[in-house]
């Protein structure tokens, strides 16, 4: 029997958990319980060494995180399970780095969830014994299933017969009849990662895999594996269904439930790309590619959608994109500040290319709009460039056409607001600006500007921030990058030659700064004005 210690400061929860679980069904028995981390450590020091520790995170005297750290200082074999609340994500993130086997949410705890976690822990303990003296933490008990599915679907490392045997041995909810592959992509994943303070994405992955696994268990249909940081691959088979309509209805219900749970408990939205339906495990390779293509259409249809590839007709898609861009163009032309003829010409040129189904080309259209149409003589070139650069960074993380259009709309509002707030530059800062614009190709320093104005460097720095809302170095770089744009469009100079001419000593730094400023690298920027909508990612 494997021994279990329960550490929980709430007595009713501790005793309820101790007495409600049929421990012997998992080959386990509770050997001790404690009200806080210090009591638990006293049990350890007294000679009780449980195989499993189930601990709360928030406790008086010594919390669960400190307890885990103390245990891991001398023991990397004890399995640890966390009892937690949804608001404990930061503590859970830290605990993940110490190697835990799973977690149970106290507020939503179900018998099935407890069963899954304890089964997983038991499997880890069995595997740990099987390797004898081998040390280390088994972090992913589902890795065998994940490896088998990925090795077959992605890399074709097994024959159909070998894959079939693996599926049967692991007792997966999968059969070769009527297969469908779905790709789930977390929308705005970088924002999700920042929200959970999870730079590596491990906490998010483990959390979602647990939740997704439980939802599929409830539906008794399909398997899921993680593909990459923001993507999860679902494999479904419907050998017990013959009607395609009924299959679609059931699949839609499962996927909608997943979206609902993720939104409700984690405030995460997700988009699904759904393949066609084929029979035979060999078809999984093609179905996977179909699901990728389908989820890629999120750019045109929006986030948090179910995108069935068979519903997406290329011709109709391009017609919808053309209408959307024309509709946006009508809205943009209402702004007096924009160069109407130039904007309309850029849009017409793009619409005539026939490449309306290429999201990279559409992104480049918006980059060109940000840096193209002349703003009337109400703002300086540098002021407009500053507004465009700020929105270029937003444009790079847009996931849909509507989001791109919204960013450009914000840019036009920025210009309108800047016109209302425009004021005359002070004499000193105006002199500094003229000096930089005349000698931007030289090595200009803040000290040099301060000496020119007969002011202290600190005071000059404050002037830049106050009147231009930029640091001195940001302003100099912005002037240089605007001059680089002129040279890219007006000469045949190579990128490194332009970098040198505008004052950048390092061509690679110039390229990175240019992409941050405009959204594309120098070569890509030049192609935008040569009417080469190539769709090549810069």
């Amino acid at each position: 029997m494997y021994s279990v210690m329960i550490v929980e400061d709430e007595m009713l929860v501790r005793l309820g958990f101790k007495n409600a679980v049929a421990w012997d069904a998992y080959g386990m028995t509770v050997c001790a319980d404690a009200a806080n981390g210090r009591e638990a450590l006293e049990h350890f020091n007294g000679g009780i060494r449980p195989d499993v520790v189930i601990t709360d995170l928030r406790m008086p005297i010594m919390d669960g995180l400190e307890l885990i750290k103390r245990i891991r200082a001398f023991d990397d074999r004890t399995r640890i399970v966390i009892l937690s609340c949804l608001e404990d994500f930061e503590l859970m993130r830290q605990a993940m780095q110490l190697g835990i086997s799973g977690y149970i949410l106290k507020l939503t705890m179900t018998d099935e969830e407890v069963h899954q976690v304890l089964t997983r822990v038991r499997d880890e303990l069995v595997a740990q014994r099987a390797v004898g003296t081998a040390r280390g933490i088994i972090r992913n008990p589902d890795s065998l299933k994940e490896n088998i599915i990925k090795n077959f679907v992605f890399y074709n490392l097994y024959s159909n017969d070998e894959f079939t045997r693996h599926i049967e041995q692991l007792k997966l909810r999968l059969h070769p009849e009527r297969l469908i592959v779905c790709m789930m992509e977390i929308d705005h994943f970088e924002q999700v990662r920042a929200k959970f303070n999870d730079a590596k994405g491990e906490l998010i992955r483990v959390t979602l895999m647990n939740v997704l696994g439980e939802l599929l268990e409830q539906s008794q249909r399909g398997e899921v594996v993680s593909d990459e940081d923001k993507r999860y691959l679902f494999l479904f088979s419907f050998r017990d269904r013959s009607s395609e309509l009924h299959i679609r209805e059931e699949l839609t219900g499962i996927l909608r439930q997943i979206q609902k749970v993720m939104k409700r408990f984690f405030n995460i939205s997700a988009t699904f790309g759904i393949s066609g339906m084929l029979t035979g495990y060999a078809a999984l390779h093609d179905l996977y590619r179909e699901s990728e293509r389908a989820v890629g259409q999120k750019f045109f249809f929006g986030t948090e959608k179910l995108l069935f590839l068979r519903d997406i007709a290329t011709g109709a898609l391009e017609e919808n994109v053309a209408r959307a861009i024309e509709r946006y163009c009508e809205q943009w032309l209402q702004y007096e500040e924009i160069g109407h003829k130039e904007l309309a010409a850029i849009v017409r040129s793009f619409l005539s290319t026939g490449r309306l189904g290429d999201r990279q080309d559409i992104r480049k259209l918006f980059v060109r709009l940000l840096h193209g149409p002349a703003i009337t003589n109400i703002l300086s070139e540098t002021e407009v460039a500053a507004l465009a650069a700020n929105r270029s960074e937003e444009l790079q993380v847009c996931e849909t056409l509507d989001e791109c259009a919204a960013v450009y709309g914000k840019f036009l509002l920025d210009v309108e607001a800047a016109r209302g707030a425009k004021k005359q530059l002070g004499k000193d800062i105006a002199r500094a600006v003229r000096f930089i614009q005349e000698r931007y190709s030289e090595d200009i320093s803040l000290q040099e500007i301060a000496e020119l104005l007969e002011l202290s460097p600190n005071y000059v720095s404050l002037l830049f921030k106050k009147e231009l809302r930029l640091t001195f170095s940001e302003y100099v770089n912005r002037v240089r990058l605007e001059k680089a744009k002129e040279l890219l469009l007006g000469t045949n100079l190579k990128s490194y030659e332009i970098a040198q001419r505008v004052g950048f000593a390092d061509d690679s730094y110039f390229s990175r700064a240019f992409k941050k400023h405009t959204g594309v690298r120098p070569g890509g920027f030049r192609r935008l004005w040569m009417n080469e909508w190539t769709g090549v990612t810069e």
Side-chain angles (χ1 to χ4, degrees), residues 437-506:
Q437 290 182 344
E438 291 170 0
R439 305 175 66 173
Y440 59 86
S441 61
E442 301 174 14
D443 186 12
I444 306 172
S445 68
L446 181 62
Q447 180 66 39
E448 185 177 3
I449 298 294
E451 291 174 0
L452 172 73
L453 302 178
E454 298 180 349
L455 299 170
S456 73
N458 285 342
Y459 184 67
V460 173
S461 180
L462 289 173
L463 285 179
F464 271 90
K465 290 180 181 177
K466 179 181 178 181
E467 299 202 38
L468 297 177
R469 297 184 180 179
L470 294 169
T471 65
F472 166 75
S473 59
E474 286 172 342
Y475 180 77
V476 173
N477 270 358
R478 197 148 284 174
V479 170
R480 288 171 171 166
L481 292 167
E482 284 302 302
K483 298 300 180 182
K485 284 164 57 178
E486 293 177 12
L487 292 174
L488 282 165
L489 301 182
T491 74
N492 292 321
L493 292 172
K494 297 185 183 299
S495 175
Y496 73 87
E497 293 173 320
I498 292 175
Q500 293 171 358
R501 287 205 181 189
V502 299
F504 286 95
D506 184 342

Side-chain angles (χ1 to χ4, degrees), residues 143-335:
S143 61
L144 182 57
K145 177 188 80 172
E146 187 157 314
N147 286 339
I148 287 171
I149 290 177
K150 286 183 176 181
N151 286 340
F152 181 74
V153 176
F154 298 167
Y155 311 116
N156 203 21
L157 295 183
Y158 303 120
S159 68
N160 287 346
D161 290 341
E162 289 172 330
F163 184 65
T164 301
R165 284 199 300 273
H166 286 309
I167 294 297
E168 292 171 350
Q169 288 170 356
L170 292 174
K171 295 181 172 63
L172 301 185
R173 294 181 295 270
L174 205 58
H175 304 281
E177 295 84 10
R178 301 186 185 88
L179 291 163
I180 297 176
V181 173
C182 303
M183 177 72 74
M184 183 184 85
E185 182 172 286
I186 299 174
D187 300 325
H188 302 108
F189 179 71
E190 291 305 320
Q191 294 177 20
V192 173
R193 185 150 54 185
K195 180 172 68 175
F196 291 115
N197 193 22
D198 186 21
K200 295 182 178 179
E202 182 67 10
L203 172 60
I204 297 171
R205 189 191 68 80
V206 171
T207 301
L208 292 187
M209 284 298 294
N210 284 340
V211 172
L212 297 173
E214 182 175 338
L215 290 171
L216 293 184
E217 177 72 26
Q218 292 173 4
S219 69
Q220 282 298 299
R221 180 84 69 185
E223 298 291 345
V224 60
V225 296
S226 60
D227 185 1
E228 55 183 56
D229 284 348
K230 65 179 180 179
R231 287 185 166 183
Y232 295 79
L233 187 68
F234 291 77
L235 278 60
F236 293 98
S237 56
F238 294 88
R239 71 171 180 177
D240 55 336
R241 298 282 187 271
S242 57
S243 166
E244 289 195 15
L245 176 61
H246 291 159
I247 290 172
R248 177 159 177 156
E249 288 176 348
E250 181 178 345
L251 181 60
T252 298
I254 294 171
L255 301 184
R256 288 292 185 205
Q257 177 64 13
I258 291 172
Q259 288 179 321
K260 180 179 177 181
V261 168
M262 291 180 62
K263 195 69 172 179
R264 177 182 177 186
F265 290 103
F266 306 106
N267 196 25
I268 292 174
S269 73
T271 299
F272 282 90
I274 303 154
S275 74
M277 183 168 63
L278 294 171
T279 289
Y281 288 134
L284 287 173
H285 315 297
D286 292 334
L287 294 175
Y288 166 70
R289 286 189 286 271
E290 285 188 9
S291 71
E292 272 195 314
R293 289 203 302 276
V295 83
Q297 301 305 303
K298 174 173 76 171
F299 182 82
F300 305 103
F301 292 94
T303 57
E304 208 165 5
K305 298 287 195 302
L306 302 185
L307 302 174
F308 288 82
L309 186 65
R310 302 293 168 88
D311 292 348
I312 301 171
T314 303
L317 170 65
E318 294 185 351
E319 288 178 11
N320 291 336
V321 171
R323 283 196 293 268
I325 292 176
E326 288 169 348
R327 184 174 68 253
Y328 287 130
C329 188
E330 290 175 4
Q331 297 171 9
W332 300 331
L333 290 174
Q334 296 175 15
Y335 289 86

Side-chain angles (χ1 to χ4, degrees), residues 334-358:
Q334 296 175 15
Y335 289 86
E336 296 179 0
E337 293 78 11
I338 201 71
H340 289 190
K341 290 183 179 179
E342 192 175 349
L343 183 145
I346 290 174
V347 172
R348 280 198 307 272
S349 172
F350 177 73
L351 293 178
S352 69
T353 63
R355 295 182 61 85
L356 305 183
D358 192 312

